[in-house]
């Protein structure tokens, strides 16, 4: 302990390291007025505080004498409180403190009255005729009697004048006068004094009672005998039986024990004299040794539920609420000032002793921390933000953390697997003032540790465990009435007794005041109790160091005595701990307790053997024997204890178990019917006793003494029992049995004799080591029984196969027969093994022939002959599997080869398949005629491939490619290089065609900029072609011309210098395009007035001007253009609406384009361009509005809250579109957008009107008008989700209004139609709540009318009236729907319609014209949207498909459910497709029977003809289905397209059909499953990723379960793939374990071969790669020889290679750290190795040292040469060190060159010695 000063008196214990505080914190030596001495207080230092169990072990010798102690942790140990007090709430219990000691016993006054009256009748000859009155009230004699008994009886009460205290029991809360005391004394003396004497005599055993037993009665008193017999003859149900003289067996089991539920052993069964229920005397708690005298009453009758005392559950509090309650209670008792401990203790005991009134407090006790949380940090709990992470982690792992304490090293509870609350999991306690924990000791006498987290102190009292008996004696004498009523009172923790009473009776009591941050330890069996000084929070848990074990054994016996179920099995815990590792401190305790358990178990087993129980059987083994409590053991029905070591069971009650001590109580059967169950033999238990000594290897004497002690005990107490004619011992019986067993092996095997011997051996197996010979013999008998049974079973199977030869019979594997025949020596003499050996030799010969045939190149006929012989053999030969696989592989190869050879379609055979078939020729090793033809095809394919590769190496011309393609035009082999050439040829031809299209009329196009782009792209694509084309230079030339034209076009729009124009003309001259019109027209522009002036001036010039004509033409052209442009230049205000036709926008665009050709500058041109700009802007506005309309019409209406917002948007957009339309019309152009805008605006107005129906209830006329308006709208240009939703919604409105609008409509509308309309409202994407409510109300009214009609028809004829039926009729006309009277015809019609569609799917016509296939069976007239499957081409209504099916497909490429099913290779459809028949499909057989029955009807049934048509159509469908199924089930080829198409048709037809046939349905499922298997197998074979062996084997296993034929193409491919993989894997496994026999180059070849296999074998490849690694200086692969590893470099070395005699703990190789010692040994070893063995250089360097290293320096090489010279010229130093290291260096010159300094140090020894 620490050396700091204690708080008060310090006392040294355990030397200088422990100190103890023996006084309280107040410094006084006594605890207030009680004068209770203080228990020790310890202050460990930080070092001592590290291990709690070690510290408790040190202080135990002193502290255990007090039963309790306090430990104050070091100052630095301050764990954070882990609970969040703001959120923490907990339940409480209400404690009545004033009744903890002073309370009446919970006695039943009626039972007391009954017994008292019997006493008066039997002993006094009178009855209690009147009530006893005391002070005006009836006196409770029961309470008075118990009160006097509490204070020692009448004499003691009178002597000590205790009548005042007695009165509190009789009338609590009242004061009593002296006169009343005297009266009470007189009443007791008058009525109860004689009864007290009688009661005392019964308890002391003075008087002999006349208690009746179950099967015998006293005959002295006939009256009592009659009454008791009458009570005895009541059965369990309380019924009485007549009194008659019957034999004893007839009365047996009429009463059962309430504890063990057995009616046996009636001679020791007590019957309650009140309730007549029975208990065995050994089933009572505690049990009785004999039948008690007098009347006897059970505890249920003695105790009254009314007066039962306990802590009842209280309210649930938060910490803050509980704090307020605690503060109020403390202020009530002690005010607001400070209070001393003396005052609190004095007041507490005054309350307990009943002198302070009634007091109740609340206590939050026994709170499970796994539920409510722990005050200590735990790893899985959330860390508070105020606590640092490192501090939290530190205390999470602290050993003083109560969550960790039970499972610390050294604790016996380490082995407990499950969490026991309070024991393994701490309990939390939240207390207040006076909340108490009553006198008790811990479960199983455990230690306990309590830690006070915070709050007021806690006062403890303790009695040492050594004084537990004295304590219990004082408690019983002080509270006799409580213990009489409840013998197990101390187990209930509800009773307190003032420590002063204990001290008065010389029982030592000690006290401890626990303050926050203190630990309190209680020791085993120490009774302790106490109370709280105020609000506080504590936490407690149990723990069990090794010294607890003897106390745990005592606790287990105590549980057995009181028939209490134990918390855990003490025997199991002890055995588990003994099997584990235990330290020197725990070993003596474990050994001692194990010896006690062994002795007790041995004694009881021998006793029951003597009693005749000879059957025995071991208990089943535990799944987790290293833990306690993983499996629950059966419990004894008597004492309720777990039966871990042994139990007794009887065949009459197989579910009932008893312990060895109660073996006689299980039943009344003879001993031979009972059986001993044991978990360990006595030999195993004795071994556990020996193994519990941890020092048995170092100190032999204790173990030897213990062994000698056990052996002497066995020898001194020879186990014998009585038999006829004397005694016989267990050893003699065992010798006799061994003699018979030995004789058994000398005769032929007999199964019955063997079973008899094994049964007889059961009486010996439970015993000690002396029965080891018997156990060995039993093992031999079991082996003989198993072997002989195997021989006979094999012979039986061989005979059954030979006689029956059925495929259902199982054949015996040859390996199993060989295993049986190879037993040496044979376990027994079984003659059948010779017959089996003859049959096995035949199988071995066949196996050898099969091996020979498989290893040589044989014909396939020979292999088939061998396989035929195997099929007739009754023994399974594993080589037959390889034989069958080889035959199957050969057949698959032949089929594949024939298919490749006979193929006529171009490029149908893959060249890889040919190469694979070619490679399989050598693997098969079978002579086949198709080999040569296949090789010819392979050679032709290789020739084609080589020519293609030659062409592809260099640039090639189109002509050469065409020649080669013509040569191999129809070649059947698919060669990739040939395909590349074909693609190149296609690309070149396509480019030439495209080039010719582009080059047409290039010079006349105005968009020369686009021409330039097109030519650039064309030139780029031509350059990327792999084939050289002649048109490429022409494209380059045309590109230059187009660029020149583009420049000219740009020059026309701007004024350019004359030099630039001349340069452009020069460029055109070089390209020879100068005569094109574009270049000819290249000139400048002038105003119209200028041109007119020139013309006017030219008229006066008398000379012919050559350009005058051109000027005149330009003027004329300009005037013509102005005239044509005049309509477009008129102001819009001057245009009268309707008087002018719309202008053409294309004309305007032509005029603007033509204006660019004018040579005259005009103002009209700019005006026309402005008009064109206005038109463009309007078109943009119109496009924007149309786009907004599309967005709105695509809005999803899933949210009801969007309707109001959406309605505003729609109206705003419609208004905007109207203004845009008005502006467009004002421009007077024929815009194409105007009709679209008008249509979109109409649609928006329609949508606005439809949306308004969501908030109102429209009329049918409004909805009809809205639908008519929708039909007149065009939805081609603009449509979307909103439009579709509104259309569906308005259609639904029309249906709904058609149901509920008109009263007359109810006559034609049915309830089912109304409900269907209501259900349809859930599927539309828009809601109409008002209309839905009206529809719901209409349906509700109809149902109410139906209820009224049913009530009317349920009335009798007298109660019915005409007025009532008229009223019902009028009500029905107003609010009821019509009734469906022809449901059968409709159902049959629906079935017929489904069969029509089914026949249409099969391709057969029917009576009516078929419509489009869909889930609804017919086409919607108003439906225009269909989805067509891209695979099967069937059509489906978009609205009828489920959303999930549509979402799984791309909208552009739709694949239906059925095509997906077969394309994906799914096994099941997952609930059917869209064509699933909506109702239950009737069976065809049932319809045929109905049709047959209708022939015998006298009346004609209208539905008969319809049924006849249905049956005929069903037969036609069945015929079509059978054709498809027969084809699918017999199909074996590679191409699965045909099968998938047919099965898709069959699946659609069967699903849509309204009639089913179970057999056809099963066959369709089988065909679908086989097709699915083939699809997945084909995908497995053709997948880019290689399949694994597990995938192939799993898939073949599935195929085997589906009975896939061996001739199936996919099956054959998979089988071949599997054979290739297995063959290579077997070879790889052999090489991987050959310890380096195969060279590395061969290993690498094998790895390369495995990597190139078509199947992935990961495990074998890893094995081979590991095999290629080399180790040690011998450079060998890893093997099983002994090796050592270098500590520095990690290199492995064989011990024999480095000449080590023993395996060192740490080894450094010579290259890492050469040693200076032992050089002679290394040198000698090196010389021997150099002379006797050749140096083998490593072929592959070690992977650990493959990195490149620097070359050895020059100094190193010189040193090495010097060393070698020294070795050759001197024999004197042949024993010197360093040669081994030099050899290492010579062999591995590039290894570890960084050790030069060490090398020089080693070599310096050689030079030093040479100098000497």
């Amino acid at each position: 302990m620490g050396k700091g000063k204690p708080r008060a008196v310090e006392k040294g214990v355990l030397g200088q390291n422990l100190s103890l505080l023996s006084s309280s914190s107040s410094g006084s030596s006594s605890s207030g007025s009680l004068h209770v001495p203080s228990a020790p207080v310890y202050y460990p230092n930080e070092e001592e505080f590290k291990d709690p169990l070690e510290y408790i072990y040190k202080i135990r010798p002193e502290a255990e004498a007090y039963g309790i102690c306090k430990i104050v942790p070091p100052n630095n140990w301050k764990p954070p409180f882990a609970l969040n007090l703001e959120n923490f709430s907990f339940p409480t219990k209400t404690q009545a403190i004033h009744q903890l000691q002073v309370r009446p016993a919970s006695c039943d006054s009626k039972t007391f009255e009954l017994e008292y009256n019997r006493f008066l009748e039997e002993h006094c000859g009178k009855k209690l005729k009147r009530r006893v009155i005391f002070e005006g009230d009836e006196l409770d004699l029961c309470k008075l009697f118990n009160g006097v008994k509490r204070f020692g009886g009448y004499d003691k009460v009178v002597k000590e004048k205790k009548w005042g205290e007695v009165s509190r029991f009789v009338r609590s809360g009242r004061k009593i006068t002296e006169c009343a005391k005297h009266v009470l004394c007189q009443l007791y003396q008058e009525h109860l004094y004689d009864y007290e004497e009688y009661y005392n005599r019964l308890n002391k055993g003075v008087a002999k009672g006349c208690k009746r037993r179950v099967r015998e009665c006293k005959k002295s008193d006939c009256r009592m005998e009659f009454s008791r017999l009458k009570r005895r003859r009541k059965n369990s149900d309380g019924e009485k039986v007549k009194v008659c003289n019957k034999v004893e067996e007839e009365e047996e089991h009429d009463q059962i024990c309430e504890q063990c539920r057995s009616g046996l052993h009636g001679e020791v069964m007590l019957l309650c004299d009140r309730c007549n229920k029975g208990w065995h005397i050994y089933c009572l708690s505690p049990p009785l040794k004999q039948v008690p005298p007098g009347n006897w009453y059970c505890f249920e009758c003695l105790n009254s539920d009314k007066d039962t005392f306990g802590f009842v559950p209280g309210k649930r509090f938060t910490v803050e609420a509980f704090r307020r309650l605690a503060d109020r209670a403390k202020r009530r008792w002690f005010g607001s000032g400070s209070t001393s401990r003396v005052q609190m203790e004095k007041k507490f005991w005054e309350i307990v002793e009943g002198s302070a009134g009634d007091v109740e407090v609340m206590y939050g006790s026994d709170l499970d921390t796994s539920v409510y949380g722990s005050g200590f940090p735990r790893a899985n709990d959330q860390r508070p933000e105020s606590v640092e992470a490192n501090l939290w982690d530190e205390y999470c792992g602290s050993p003083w953390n109560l969550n960790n304490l039970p499972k610390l090293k050294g604790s016996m509870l380490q082995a407990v697997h499950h969490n026991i609350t309070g024991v393994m999991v701490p309990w939390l306690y939240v207390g207040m003032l006076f909340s108490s924990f009553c006198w008790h000791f811990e479960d199983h006498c455990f230690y306990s540790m309590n830690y006070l987290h915070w709050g007021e102190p806690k006062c403890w009292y303790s009695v040492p465990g050594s004084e537990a008996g004295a304590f219990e004696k004082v408690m019983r004498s002080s509270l006799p009435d409580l213990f009489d009523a409840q013998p197990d009172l101390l187990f209930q923790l509800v009773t307190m007794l003032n420590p002063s009473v204990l001290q008065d009776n010389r029982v030592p009591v000690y006290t401890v005041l626990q303050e926050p941050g203190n630990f309190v330890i209680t020791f085993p069996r120490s009774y302790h109790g106490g109370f709280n000084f105020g609000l506080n929070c504590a936490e407690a848990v149990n723990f069990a160091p090794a010294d607890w074990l003897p106390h745990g054994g005592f606790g287990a016996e105590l549980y057995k005595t009181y028939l209490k179920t134990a918390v855990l099995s003490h025997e199991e815990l002890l055995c588990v701990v003994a099997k584990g590792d235990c330290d020197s401190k725990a070993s003596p305790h474990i050994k001692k307790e194990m010896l006690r358990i062994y002795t007790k178990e041995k004694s009881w087993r021998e006793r029951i053997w003597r009693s005749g129980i000879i059957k025995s059987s071991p208990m089943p083994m535990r799944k987790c024997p290293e833990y306690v409590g993983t499996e629950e053991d059966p419990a004894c029905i008597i004492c309720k204890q777990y039966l871990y070591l042994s139990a007794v069971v009887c065949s009459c009650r197989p579910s009932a178990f008893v312990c060895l001590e109660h073996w006689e109580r299980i039943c009344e059967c003879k001993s031979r019917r009972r059986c001993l169950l044991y978990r360990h033999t006595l030999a195993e238990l004795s071994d556990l006793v020996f193994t519990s000594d941890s020092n048995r290897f170092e100190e032999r004497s204790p173990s030897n003494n213990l062994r000698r002690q056990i052996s002497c005990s066995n020898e001194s107490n020879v186990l014998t029992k009585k038999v006829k004619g004397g005694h016989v011992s267990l050893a003699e019986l065992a010798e006799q049995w061994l003699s018979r067993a030995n004789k058994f092996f000398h005769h032929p095997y007999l199964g019955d004799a063997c079973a008899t011997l094994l049964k007889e051996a059961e009486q010996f197996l439970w015993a000690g080591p002396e029965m080891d010979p018997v156990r060995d013999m039993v093992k031999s008998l079991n082996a003989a029984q198993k072997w002989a049974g195997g021989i006979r079973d094999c012979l039986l199977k061989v005979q059954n196969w030979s006689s029956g030869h059925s495929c259902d019979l199982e054949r015996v594997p040859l390996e199993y027969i060989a295993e049986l025949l190879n037993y040496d020596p044979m376990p027994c003499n079984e003659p059948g093994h010779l017959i089996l050996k003859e049959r096995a030799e035949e199988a071995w010969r066949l196996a050898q022939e099969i091996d020979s045939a498989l290893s040589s190149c044989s014909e396939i006929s020979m292999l088939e002959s061998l396989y035929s012989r195997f099929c007739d053999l009754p023994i399974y030969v594993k080589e037959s599997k390889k034989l069958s696989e080889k035959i199957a592989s050969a057949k698959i190869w032949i089929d594949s080869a024939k298919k490749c050879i006979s193929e006529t379609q171009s490029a149908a055979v893959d060249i890889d398949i040919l190469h694979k078939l070619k490679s399989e020729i050598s693997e098969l090793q079978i002579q086949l005629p198709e080999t040569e033809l296949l090789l010819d095809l392979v050679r032709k394919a290789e020739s084609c491939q080589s020519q293609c590769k030659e062409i592809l190496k260099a640039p090639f011309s189109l002509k050469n490619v065409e020649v080669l393609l013509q040569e191999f035009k129809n070649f059947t082999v698919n060669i990739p290089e040939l395909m590349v050439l074909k693609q190149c040829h296609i690309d070149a031809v396509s480019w030439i065609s495209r080039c010719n299209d582009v080059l047409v009329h290039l010079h006349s196009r105005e968009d020369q900029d686009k021409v330039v782009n097109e030519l650039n792209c064309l030139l780029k694509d031509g350059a990327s072609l792999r084939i050289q084309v002649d048109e490429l230079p022409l494209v380059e030339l045309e590109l230059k011309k187009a660029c020149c034209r583009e420049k000219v076009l740009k020059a026309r729009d701007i004024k350019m210098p004359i030099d630039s124009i001349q340069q452009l003309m020069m460029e055109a001259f070089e390209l020879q395009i100068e005569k094109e019109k574009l270049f000819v027209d290249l000139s400048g522009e002038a105003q119209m007035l200028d041109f007119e002036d020139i013309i006017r001036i030219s008229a006066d010039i008398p000379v012919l001007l050559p350009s005058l004509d051109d000027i005149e033409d330009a003027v004329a052209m300009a005037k013509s253009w102005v005239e044509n442009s005049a309509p477009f230049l008129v102001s819009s205000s001057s245009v009268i609406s309707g008087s002018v036709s719309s202008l053409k926008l294309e004309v305007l665009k032509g005029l603007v384009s033509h204006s660019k050709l004018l040579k005259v500058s005009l103002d009209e041109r700019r005006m026309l361009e402005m008009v064109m700009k206005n038109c463009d802007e309007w078109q943009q506005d119109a496009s924007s509005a149309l786009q907004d309309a599309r967005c709105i019409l695509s809005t999803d209406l899933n949210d009801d809250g969007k309707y109001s917002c959406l309605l505003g948007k729609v109206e705003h957009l419609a208004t905007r579109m109207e203004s845009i339309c008005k502006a467009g019309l004002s421009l007077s152009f024929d815009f194409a957008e105007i009709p679209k805008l008008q249509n979109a605006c109409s649609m928006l107005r329609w949508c606005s009107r439809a949306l308004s129906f969501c908030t109102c209830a429209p009329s049918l006329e409004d909805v009809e008008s809205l639908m008519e308006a929708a039909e007149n709208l065009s939805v081609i240009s603009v449509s979307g989700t909103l439009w579709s939703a509104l259309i569906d919604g308005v259609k639904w409105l029309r249906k709904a209004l058609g149901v509920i609008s008109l009263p007359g409509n109810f006559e034609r509308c049915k309830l089912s139609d109304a409900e269907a309309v209501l259900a349809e409202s859930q599927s539309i994407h828009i809601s109409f709540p008002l209309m839905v409510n009206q529809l719901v109300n209409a349906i509700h009214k109809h149902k109410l009318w139906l209820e009224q009609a049913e009530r009317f028809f349920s009335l009798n004829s007298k109660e019915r009236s005409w007025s009532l039926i008229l009223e019902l009729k009028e009500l029905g006309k107003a609010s009821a729907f019509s009734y469906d009277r022809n449901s059968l015809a409709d159902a049959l019609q629906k079935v017929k319609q489904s069969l029509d569609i089914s026949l249409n799917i099969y391709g057969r016509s029917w009576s009516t014209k078929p419509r489009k296939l869909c889930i609804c069976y017919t086409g919607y007239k108003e439906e225009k949207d269909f989805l067509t499957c891209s695979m099967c081409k069937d059509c489906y209504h978009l609205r009828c498909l489920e959303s999930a099916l549509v979402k799984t497909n791309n909208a552009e490429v739709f694949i239906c459910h059925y095509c997906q099913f077969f394309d994906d290779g799914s096994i099941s459809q997952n609930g059917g497709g869209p064509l699933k028949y909506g109702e239950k499909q009737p069976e065809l057989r049932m319809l045929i029977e109905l049709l047959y029955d209708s022939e015998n009807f006298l009346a004609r049934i209208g539905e008969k003809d319809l049924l006849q048509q249905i049956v005929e159509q069903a037969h036609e469908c069945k015929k079509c289905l059978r054709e498809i199924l027969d084809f699918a089930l017999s199909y074996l080829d590679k191409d699965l397209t045909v099968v998938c198409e047919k099965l898709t048709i069959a699946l659609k037809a069967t699903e849509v059909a309204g009639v089913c046939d179970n057999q056809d349905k099963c066959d369709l499922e089988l065909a679908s499953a086989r097709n699915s298997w083939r699809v997945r197998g084909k995908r497995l074979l053709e997948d880019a990723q290689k399949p694994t062996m597990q995938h192939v084997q799993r898939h073949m296993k599935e195929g085997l379960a589906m009975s896939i034929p061996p001739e199936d193409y996919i099956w054959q491919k998979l089988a071949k793939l599997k054979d290739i993989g297995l063959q290579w894997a077997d070879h790889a496994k052999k090489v991987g374990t050959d310890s380096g026999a195969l060279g590395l180059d061969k290993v690498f070849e094998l790895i390369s071969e495995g990597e190139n296999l078509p199947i992935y074998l990961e495990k074998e490849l890893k094995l081979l790669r590991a095999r290629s690694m080399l180790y040690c200086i011998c450079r060998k692969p890893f093997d099983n020889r002994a090796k050592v590893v270098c500590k520095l470099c990690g290199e492995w070395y064989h011990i024999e290679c480095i000449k080590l005699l023993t395996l060192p703990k740490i080894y450094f190789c010579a290259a890492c750290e050469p040693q200076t010692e032992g050089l002679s040994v290394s040198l000698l070893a090196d010389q021997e190795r150099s002379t006797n063995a050749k140096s083998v250089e490593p072929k592959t360097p070690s992977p650990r040292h493959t990195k490149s290293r620097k070359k050895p320096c020059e100094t190193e090489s010189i040193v090495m040469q010097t060393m070698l010279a020294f070795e050759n010229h001197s024999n004197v130093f042949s024993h010197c060190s360093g040669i081994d290291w030099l050899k290492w260096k010579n062999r591995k010159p590039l290894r570890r060159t960084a050790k030069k300094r060490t090398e020089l140090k080693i070599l310096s020894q050689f030079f030093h010695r040479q100098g000497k």
Side-chain angles (χ1 to χ4, degrees), residues 30-99:
S30 64
S31 298
S33 61
L34 296 178
H35 301 288
V36 179
S38 296
V41 181
Y42 297 95
Y43 293 84
N45 57 32
E46 295 182 9
E47 185 63 28
E48 293 169 334
F49 197 71
K50 289 181 179 179
D51 190 347
L53 295 184
E54 181 68 22
Y55 185 72
I56 294 171
Y57 174 78
K58 290 180 182 180
I59 66 175
R60 183 178 66 85
E62 180 177 6
E64 191 173 17
Y66 297 87
I68 195 171
C69 70
K70 182 169 74 173
I71 298 177
V72 181
N75 294 331
N76 62 349
W77 199 82
K78 295 180 181 179
F81 189 66
L83 291 175
N84 186 356
L85 296 180
E86 296 180 357
N87 301 328
F88 178 59
S89 63
F90 55 92
T92 59
K93 297 175 184 176
T94 303
Q95 293 184 332
I97 306 299
H98 61 284
Q99 292 183 335

Side-chain angles (χ1 to χ4, degrees), residues 114-163:
L114 177 64
E115 177 64 11
Y116 182 63
N117 285 329
R118 287 177 178 173
F119 163 75
L120 293 177
E121 292 176 4
E122 296 177 3
H123 295 276
C124 301
K126 62 179 181 179
K127 292 185 178 180
L128 184 64
K129 297 181 180 179
R130 57 185 176 84
R131 297 184 299 172
V132 180
I133 305 300
F134 175 64
E135 292 190 345
D137 296 328
E138 182 181 359
L139 180 63
D140 192 338
L141 295 180
C142 178
K143 288 187 177 181
L144 179 59
F145 180 77
N146 286 325
V148 172
K149 183 168 61 174
R150 167 73 66 90
F151 294 99
Y154 176 78
D155 295 335
K156 190 174 181 180
V157 170
V158 171
K159 180 179 179 181
E160 298 180 358
K161 299 180 180 180
K162 296 285 187 178
W163 289 107

Side-chain angles (χ1 to χ4, degrees), residues 804-1032:
H805 197 67
S806 173
C807 296
D808 297 333
L809 297 177
E810 182 183 1
R811 290 196 282 189
V812 185
L814 181 59
E815 292 75 14
Y816 179 62
I817 297 176
E819 181 182 351
L820 293 175
L821 296 178
N822 289 337
Y823 269 82
D824 189 19
M826 290 184 294
C828 62
N829 184 8
E830 171 55 50
H833 85 280
L834 297 176
I835 303 173
L836 188 62
K837 186 175 182 181
E838 294 178 359
R839 304 304 299 265
E841 289 176 352
E842 180 183 354
W844 279 325
R845 288 193 296 270
L846 177 61
Q848 291 175 358
E849 293 181 15
I850 292 175
D851 283 336
S852 176
L854 291 175
S855 61
S856 61
C857 187
S858 307
E859 295 182 356
I860 192 169
S861 59
M862 179 181 177
L863 299 180
E864 291 177 343
S865 174
L866 290 174
Y867 189 75
S868 176
R869 287 173 56 191
F870 160 72
C871 293
D872 297 333
L873 190 69
I875 299 175
Y876 178 77
V877 180
K878 67 177 183 179
E879 288 80 6
S880 63
K881 184 178 181 181
K882 295 182 180 179
L883 179 64
S884 63
E885 290 173 351
K886 191 164 187 178
I887 293 173
S889 300
K891 290 182 178 180
I892 292 173
W893 189 93
I894 291 172
D895 293 341
S896 301
K898 286 182 178 180
K899 188 174 182 180
C900 294
I901 294 169
S902 60
E903 184 62 57
T904 57
Q905 187 177 354
S906 176
V909 181
D910 194 359
I911 191 171
D912 294 334
I913 297 178
L914 293 179
H915 289 152
K916 184 179 179 182
L917 292 173
K918 180 182 178 182
S919 63
E920 290 173 355
I921 294 175
S922 59
E923 297 176 3
L924 287 175
Q925 294 184 354
I926 301 177
Q927 300 176 9
L928 300 172
E930 293 83 2
T931 304
E932 192 61 34
L933 296 175
L934 182 70
L935 292 177
D936 290 341
L937 185 61
V938 171
R939 284 191 289 270
K940 185 176 180 182
E942 291 175 348
S943 174
C944 176
Q945 190 174 29
S946 62
Q947 293 182 43
C948 293
K949 288 181 178 180
E950 286 295 329
I951 292 177
L952 291 171
K953 284 182 180 178
F956 47 92
S957 63
L958 184 61
K959 183 178 181 181
N960 295 335
V961 174
E962 290 176 347
V963 171
L964 183 64
L965 293 179
Q966 185 64 30
E967 180 182 354
F968 294 98
K969 182 177 181 181
N970 296 321
F971 194 39
T972 59
V973 181
N974 182 10
I975 300 173
E977 291 81 3
L978 187 62
M979 295 297 105
V980 171
L981 285 179
K982 287 183 178 180
Q983 187 61 43
C984 292
H985 179 263
I986 292 172
D987 294 341
V989 172
S990 175
W991 184 88
I992 293 172
S993 175
R994 181 175 149 210
C995 178
N996 293 331
D997 294 339
V998 172
L999 295 180
V1000 176
H1001 305 299
L1002 283 181
H1003 64 280
S1004 60
R1005 292 176 57 178
E1006 294 292 334
D1007 53 345
Q1008 290 297 319
D1009 52 346
K1010 294 184 179 179
V1011 171
V1012 171
N1013 292 334
E1014 291 177 4
L1015 290 176
N1016 277 323
C1017 294
L1018 193 64
L1019 185 63
K1020 183 179 180 181
D1021 294 342
S1024 64
L1025 293 175
R1026 301 184 65 178
I1027 298 179
Q1028 296 178 353
V1029 289
D1030 299 333
E1031 290 79 1
L1032 196 60

